[in-house]
Amino acid sequence: MTATAYQNNQNYIDFILHLADTNLILAQRLCEWCGHGPILEQDIAMSNMALDLLGQTSNYYNYAAEMIGNGATEDTLAMLREEREYKNLLLVEQPNGHFGDTVARQFFYDSFHYFLLEQFLKVKDLKLQSIAEKSLKEVKYHLKWSSEWMIRLGDGTPESHEKIQQSVNDILPYVGEMFILAPYQKALIEAGLIDNPNDFKAAWLAKVNEILEEATIVADVENAFAQKGGKEGIHTEHLGYILTDLQYMQRTYPNLQW
């Protein structure tokens, strides 16, 4: 497979932007916890995970900008695109809610993210493979953190169990989109440029159900209704508010640099 097969391919650019946007929006959500965490250690932990995701975002946007050309940069892609141009998962734009809501959202994304990066280690695109190699150790920690909190809250006090059970119930409709293929994903899979994430769905489901069982949380993850649209730019009302905060400085003071 030649590098041109990836770099001149609009479907591939859309796919890389989908990865970048998903990490960016989740990082922005985690940043909202800075200074508001339930205890200092977890405040720092969530801030560190946000920084990890921002680092990965930078790598994806730089790669996309290189393929797009025409003066595109990681900053223009992050700060100057409109809401409908973002291709992030609906899951990551959901509000932080209370700490259990954030843990549940993080757990479902971390478990998917971990298997996705493992899959990327075997892709033919060496740049994507390199980003995955750099990111996997961080995401493995993220999954450990969110899994442990799922168990601690679910198997904790009656109040913590009730709250995290409700958090899972509320976030579950946004989980299935991770395995619903966008048109650009279908085209890339048919061309043999990327693998189908559904190839690891069984392993992901086994991991998720293992943690939920240990946490004494009841959820039919496999058959849950799935909202969709984020990958194609159709978002919930929450994304507009996130972008308002995220892009305020750049849009108010164009070309601002630190």
Side-chain angles (χ1 to χ4, degrees):
M1 197 70 66
T2 65
T4 305
Y6 292 95
Q7 294 175 359
N8 291 335
N9 190 321
Q10 183 59 49
N11 288 321
Y12 199 61
I13 293 171
D14 288 342
F15 178 61
I16 298 298
L17 287 174
H18 154 64
L19 299 173
D21 293 342
T22 295
N23 278 3
L24 175 68
I25 299 304
L26 183 56
Q28 182 71 8
R29 277 298 193 210
L30 289 173
C31 285
E32 293 172 4
W33 272 105
C34 187
H36 301 278
I39 55 176
L40 181 59
E41 184 179 8
Q42 299 313 318
D43 190 305
I44 294 171
M46 288 186 283
S47 296
N48 281 334
M49 289 192 292
L51 290 174
D52 291 340
L53 292 170
L54 283 175
Q56 295 168 30
T57 298
S58 176
N59 289 329
Y60 287 130
Y61 276 142
N62 274 317
Y63 188 20
E66 179 184 310
M67 291 190 281
I68 294 170
N70 296 321
T73 68
E74 61 173 312
D75 292 327
T76 63
L77 293 175
M79 301 298 182
L80 296 177
R81 289 155 66 224
E82 302 292 337
E83 180 179 342
R84 289 296 298 267
E85 296 177 277
Y86 276 76
K87 306 179 191 308
N88 59 275
L89 294 167
L90 297 176
L91 173 70
V92 300
E93 67 193 48
Q94 298 311 303
N96 284 336
H98 56 65
F99 182 64
D101 292 336
T102 293
V103 167
R105 184 188 65 203
Q106 193 69 31
F107 168 67
F108 283 112
Y109 181 66
D110 290 342
S111 54
F112 174 81
H113 199 191
Y114 174 77
F115 285 105
L116 184 68
L117 292 180
E118 277 205 324
Q119 189 178 65
F120 287 170
L121 295 179
K122 296 176 283 188
V123 296
K124 299 179 181 69
D125 179 4
L126 297 181
K127 287 194 176 181
L128 183 58
Q129 187 184 109
S130 175
I131 294 172
E133 286 175 349
K134 292 177 183 174
S135 308
L136 191 57
K137 184 177 179 181
E138 296 168 348
V139 173
K140 190 174 182 179
Y141 165 75
H142 299 176
L143 178 57
K144 181 176 183 295
W145 181 88
S146 57
S147 297
E148 289 178 352
W149 271 109
M150 286 291 289
I151 294 168
R152 189 177 302 182
L153 295 174
D155 197 27
T157 66
E159 182 181 2
S160 72
H161 173 83
E162 182 181 349
K163 284 191 170 182
I164 194 68
Q165 176 71 62
Q166 189 60 51
S167 299
V168 170
N169 295 346
D170 292 342
I171 205 69
L172 210 50
Y174 300 100
V175 172
E177 188 190 15
M178 298 188 294
F179 294 97
I180 297 175
L181 302 177
Y184 49 86
Q185 285 180 291
K186 291 179 182 176
L188 293 169
I189 291 167
E190 288 171 4
L193 295 177
I194 63 171
D195 292 326
N196 192 328
N198 287 285
D199 291 347
F200 62 73
K201 186 173 183 179
W204 168 83
L205 197 56
K207 176 64 178 178
V208 165
N209 284 333
E210 174 193 334
I211 299 299
L212 292 178
E213 183 177 355
E214 191 170 352
T216 70
I217 294 170
V218 178
D220 186 359
V221 179
E222 186 172 12
N223 298 307
F225 169 76
Q227 298 279 3
K228 60 180 181 179
K231 290 179 175 180
E232 298 177 63
I234 302 172
H235 296 281
T236 65
E237 63 180 313
H238 307 298
L239 184 63
Y241 292 100
I242 296 173
L243 295 181
T244 298
D245 285 340
L246 179 69
Q247 298 181 341
Y248 171 78
M249 290 295 288
Q250 187 56 239
R251 290 191 181 277
T252 305
Y253 305 100
N255 303 316
L256 182 71
Q257 294 184 344
W258 294 104

